[in-house]
Amino acid sequence: MAPAIAAAALLVFIFDFTSFGVVLILGGTQFATLEVEIYRQTVNLFNLPMAALSLSSRLSARWR
C-alpha cells in the first residue's frame, strides 16, 4: 500500500509543479494560470482577499 501512496503523491506533485512552476518560469505573469494569478495577487500585489477568493474557487473546482 505504501508504494501506491508514494506514487500517487509523486503524481500530484508533478501535476502541481507543472501547473505553477513551469508556467511561471516560462511565461511569467503574462500567460498566467489560476495558480500563477493566486501567487501574483499574494506576493506582488498583496491583495489577500482576492487571492483567498481565487484559492477557494480553485479548491472547489478541484473537488467536483
Side-chain angles (χ1 to χ4, degrees):
M1 185 74 165
I5 292 173
L10 181 63
L11 285 175
V12 169
F13 172 76
I14 291 171
F15 173 75
D16 289 342
F17 178 75
T18 57
S19 69
F20 176 74
V22 173
V23 174
L24 185 62
I25 291 170
L26 295 178
T29 56
Q30 183 180 4
F31 302 107
T33 59
L34 187 57
E35 292 85 359
V36 174
E37 183 61 26
I38 292 169
Y39 173 79
R40 189 178 75 83
Q41 290 289 331
T42 304
V43 174
N44 295 346
L45 303 175
F46 202 67
N47 189 357
L48 297 181
M50 183 59 139
L53 180 65
S54 300
L55 179 61
S56 64
S57 68
R58 176 68 173 129
L59 289 176
S60 67
R62 185 177 293 253
W63 295 110
R64 287 186 178 190

